[in-house]
């Protein structure tokens, strides 16, 4: 047997080469040569059963069988026998209901071979595995060869800048993928630049998630520039870039993009260090933007002064349906300013989250009063603020009268010794963003209200 040695310390069947990869081009070239050598070996013909096909490939390539992957393929085989199409293959590595052997780059190579010409599978979820840049290479090859894949979830897979580059370049010619999740892969500024360049070429991708990818200021600006021209992206997540400085440049450039872009529906700007002046820039853009329906500006540095601008734009904006203000500091003054606008002017907002915003009873009661006159606002999330008895009574009344449905808020009233209190319940705009429950419905409307109110993308 001949072996290809990688600097990342793994061995696979292939050409007898020893090299150290210093660039994506070097990695691509070496893996290409590896594929050429593999092609020279006799490959088994595809069989009807994915499970059998996987077993045969593992035996021929002397690869250890992954029991978790085998079990997932068995489930897909059963769905295919029932005549189902549009199947999502779920091999999430954080599944705690059964023993999991996480998928590596070598396993992903075999998986990609199985899926290349399968017309029944249009979604692939390999979140929380260990495919790394090697698996990213085969994911890129899969995107070039598989013409029915519309959803690919690679979140938290140890993919770096080089792997990000390979996937971004594969999307230059891909015309089928609609939703790509790269969340938590440290593609950094270098990889982010390749994804931004991809958006200038690709005309089919509708949703891109690059949250927690360590993007830099340069790549955020590049995305802003690309999105002024791209007319197909409907949702983009740029949460938690690594920004330095006090000028709020990312917010300025994204605000300019919103003035020019009339197709974007969802924008996630959590942990962007947005302050009051930056929020004013965003609100100035929202006076002109007529497409954005979901705005996430949670975990920033917005205070009550910034809310004046947001309340003002809500008087005239008729497209915004979901606003996530969680983990800011708007306090009573900001809450009352929002409630005045919601009570008297705005009739388009459907969901508002003010979780952990240092709001006390007076501000929380004002928001509850606005719901009595505003019948459009259906979801409100208030946990993490300072409840007094008036607050508990106000939200208890809203729920008991049916104005606020229990599934549409994150609190539940209860009474002890004649006094009303509020308990936390696991509802929210995107509770299952990072994880999904072991039992129950992973697509629960009460836990993912933001996604159900503004549905963009076929998969979560």
């Amino acid at each position: 047997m001949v072996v290809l040695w990688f600097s990342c310390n793994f061995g696979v069947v292939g050409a007898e080469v020893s090299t150290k990869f210093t660039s994506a081009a070097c990695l691509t070239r070496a893996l290409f040569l590896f594929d050429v050598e593999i092609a020279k070996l006799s490959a088994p013909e595809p069989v009807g059963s994915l499970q059998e096909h996987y077993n045969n490939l593992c035996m021929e390539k002397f690869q250890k069988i992954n029991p978790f992957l085998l079990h997932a393929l068995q489930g897909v085989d059963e769905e295919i026998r029932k005549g189902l199409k549009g199947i999502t293959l779920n091999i999430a590595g954080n599944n705690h209901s059964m023993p999991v052997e996480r998928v590596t780059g070598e396993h992903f190579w075999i998986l990609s071979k199985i899926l290349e010409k399968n017309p029944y599978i249009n979604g692939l979820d390999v979140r929380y595995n260990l495919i790394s840049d090697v698996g990213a290479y085969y994911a890129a090859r899969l995107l070039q060869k598989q013409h029915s894949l519309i959803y690919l979830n690679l979140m938290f897979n140890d993919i770096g800048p080089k792997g990000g580059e390979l996937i971004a370049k594969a999307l230059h010619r891909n015309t089928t993928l609609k939703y790509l999740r790269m969340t938590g892969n440290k593609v950094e500024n270098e990889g982010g630049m390749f994804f931004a360049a991809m958006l200038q070429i690709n005309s089919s991708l509708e949703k891109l998630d690059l949250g927690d990818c360590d993007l830099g200021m340069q790549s955020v600006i590049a995305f802003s520039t690309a999105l002024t021209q791209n007319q197909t992206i409907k949702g983009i997540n740029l949460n938690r870039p690594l920004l330095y400085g006090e000028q709020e440049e990312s917010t300025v450039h994204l605000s300019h993009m919103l003035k020019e872009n009339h197709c974007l529906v969802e924008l996630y700007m959590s942990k962007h260090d947005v302050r009051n002046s930056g929020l004013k820039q965003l609100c100035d853009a929202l006076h002109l933007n007529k497409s954005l329906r979901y705005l996430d500006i949670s975990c920033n540095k917005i205070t009550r002064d910034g809310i004046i601008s947001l309340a003002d734009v809500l008087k005239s904006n008729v497209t915004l349906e979901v606003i996530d203000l969680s983990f800011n500091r708007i306090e009573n003054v900001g809450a009352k300013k929002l409630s005045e606008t919601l009570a008297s002017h705005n009739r388009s907002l459907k969901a508002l989250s003010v979780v952990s915003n240092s709001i006390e009873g007076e501000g929380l009661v004002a928001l509850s009063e606005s719901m009595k006159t505003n019948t459009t606002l259906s979801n409100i999330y208030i946990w993490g603020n300072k409840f007094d008895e008036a607050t508990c009574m106000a939200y208890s009344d809203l729920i008991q009268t049916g104005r606020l449905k229990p599934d549409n808020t994150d609190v539940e009233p209860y009474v002890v010794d004649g006094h009303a209190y509020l308990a936390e319940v696991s509802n929210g705009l995107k509770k299952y963003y990072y994880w999904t429950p072991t039992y129950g419905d992973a697509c629960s409307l009460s836990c993912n209200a933001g996604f159900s109110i503004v549905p963009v993308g076929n998969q979560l």
Side-chain angles (χ1 to χ4, degrees):
M1 185 193 307
V2 285
V3 178
L4 171 63
W5 289 279
F6 293 81
S7 61
C8 44
N9 297 323
F10 66 86
V12 290
V13 182
E16 192 169 17
V17 179
S18 178
T19 185
K20 181 177 182 180
F21 300 111
T22 57
S23 67
C26 180
L27 175 61
T28 305
R29 176 63 179 165
L31 290 172
F32 174 75
L33 292 174
F34 164 64
D35 275 352
V36 170
E37 293 298 322
I38 286 294
K40 294 177 182 177
L41 302 174
S42 58
E45 291 296 320
V47 293
S49 165
L50 294 175
Q51 190 179 10
E52 289 178 20
H53 193 186
Y54 175 67
N55 273 326
N56 292 344
L57 276 172
C58 286
M59 289 176 63
E60 180 150 337
K61 311 308 176 192
F62 305 100
Q63 181 66 258
K64 179 185 175 184
I65 290 176
N66 184 322
F68 177 58
L69 183 52
L70 190 67
H71 177 79
L73 292 173
Q74 182 181 11
V76 172
D77 281 336
E78 292 175 1
E79 292 183 337
I80 292 174
R81 280 194 290 270
K82 293 176 184 177
L84 299 178
K85 291 187 177 181
I87 300 168
T88 295
L89 174 57
N90 187 339
I91 45 176
N94 63 338
N95 189 324
H96 298 296
S97 60
M98 62 182 70
V100 172
E101 181 181 337
R102 299 197 177 191
V103 176
T104 62
E106 301 98 310
H107 286 130
F108 195 85
W109 170 72
I110 292 179
L111 180 63
S112 68
K113 289 293 182 184
I114 295 171
L115 300 181
E116 271 181 8
K117 297 180 181 179
N118 190 295
Y120 299 98
I121 296 174
N122 69 2
L124 178 59
D125 186 343
V126 288
R127 70 180 81 186
Y128 294 103
N129 281 290
L130 300 169
I131 72 170
S132 69
D133 285 350
V134 176
Y137 169 81
Y138 294 112
R141 294 292 300 273
L142 184 64
L143 288 171
Q144 293 172 340
K145 295 184 177 182
Q146 223 275 14
H147 301 297
S148 59
L149 200 66
I150 63 173
Y151 169 65
L152 179 59
N153 189 337
L154 298 173
M155 66 186 290
F156 291 99
N157 257 291
D158 233 5
I159 298 172
K162 308 308 177 187
E165 177 185 347
L166 295 169
I167 292 171
K169 287 183 175 179
L171 289 172
H172 286 195
R173 288 183 288 180
N174 180 282
T175 58
T176 56
L177 194 72
K178 301 294 184 185
Y179 184 10
L180 174 64
R181 281 198 75 172
M182 291 290 292
T183 320
N185 292 299
K186 307 308 180 186
V187 301
E188 301 176 356
N189 195 66
E190 179 186 346
M193 292 299 291
F194 286 103
F195 279 103
M198 175 272 296
L199 292 183
Q200 296 178 318
I201 300 170
N202 182 287
S203 59
S204 59
L205 194 67
E206 294 182 1
K207 192 167 182 179
L208 176 62
D209 190 335
L210 288 168
D212 302 294
C213 286
D214 289 359
L215 301 177
M217 180 66 74
Q218 185 184 12
S219 54
V220 173
I221 293 173
F223 277 110
S224 303
T225 304
L227 288 171
T228 58
Q229 302 296 326
N230 186 292
Q231 300 298 308
T232 54
I233 286 285
K234 296 178 181 177
I236 190 161
N237 188 320
L238 300 174
N239 286 350
R240 210 217 61 167
L242 300 183
L243 305 175
Y244 303 98
E246 305 291 329
Q247 302 303 313
E248 297 186 78
E249 289 181 64
S250 66
T251 310
V252 171
H253 285 274
L254 287 168
S255 299
H256 175 71
M257 177 273 294
L258 287 175
K259 293 178 182 179
E260 304 292 331
N261 184 299
H262 301 291
C263 299
L264 195 66
V265 176
E266 292 181 351
L267 177 60
Y268 296 85
M269 293 179 59
S270 179
K271 303 175 186 175
H272 262 251
D273 203 23
V274 179
R275 306 179 186 208
N276 295 333
S277 58
L279 182 59
K280 186 179 186 309
Q281 295 262 7
L282 279 174
C283 290
D284 289 344
L286 290 173
H287 278 291
L288 302 175
N289 184 283
K290 303 301 179 186
S291 65
L292 197 71
R293 296 168 57 195
Y294 191 130
L295 178 62
D296 182 349
I297 44 176
S298 60
C299 302
N300 283 297
K301 298 180 179 179
I302 298 167
T303 68
R304 58 187 186 181
D305 295 332
I307 294 300
I308 296 174
S309 301
L310 184 60
D312 185 54
V313 78
L314 286 176
K315 292 178 181 179
S316 58
N317 184 292
V318 294
T319 55
L320 271 174
E321 297 180 7
V322 180
I323 296 179
D324 191 346
L325 280 166
S326 305
F327 303 100
N328 283 288
R329 194 180 180 84
I330 70 172
E331 302 178 300
N332 279 351
V333 175
K336 290 170 70 175
K337 194 68 181 176
L338 278 177
S339 63
E340 290 169 10
T341 299
L342 293 172
S344 305
H345 299 89
N346 184 278
R347 291 297 180 270
S348 62
L349 195 70
K350 296 179 181 178
L352 173 67
S353 177
V354 290
V355 169
S356 298
N357 261 275
S358 300
I359 307 172
E360 298 179 350
E362 185 181 355
L364 294 168
V365 170
L367 287 170
S368 71
E369 290 295 319
S370 70
M371 293 191 71
K372 294 179 180 179
T373 54
N374 184 326
T375 56
T376 307
L377 185 65
S378 59
N379 297 57
I380 188 165
Y381 304 96
I382 61 170
W383 187 258
N385 293 295
K386 301 172 184 177
F387 301 157
D388 58 11
E389 189 161 359
T391 301
C392 299
M393 288 296 297
Y395 286 89
S396 178
D397 290 344
L398 284 176
I399 293 171
Q400 289 175 1
T401 59
R403 172 60 190 91
L404 181 60
K405 295 181 179 179
D407 284 346
N408 293 351
T409 187
D410 57 351
V411 293
E412 180 179 9
Y414 65 98
V415 177
V416 175
D417 294 335
H419 295 281
Y421 298 92
L422 295 176
E424 183 184 17
V425 291
S426 188
N427 297 333
L429 293 177
K430 48 181 181 2
K431 280 284 185 181
Y432 296 154
Y433 175 71
Y434 287 109
W435 57 279
T436 53
T438 303
Y439 302 99
D441 185 8
C443 300
S444 167
L445 299 183
S446 61
C447 296
N448 300 297
F451 299 126
S452 61
I453 294 172
V454 183
V456 175
N458 296 69
Q459 312 283 345
L460 287 179

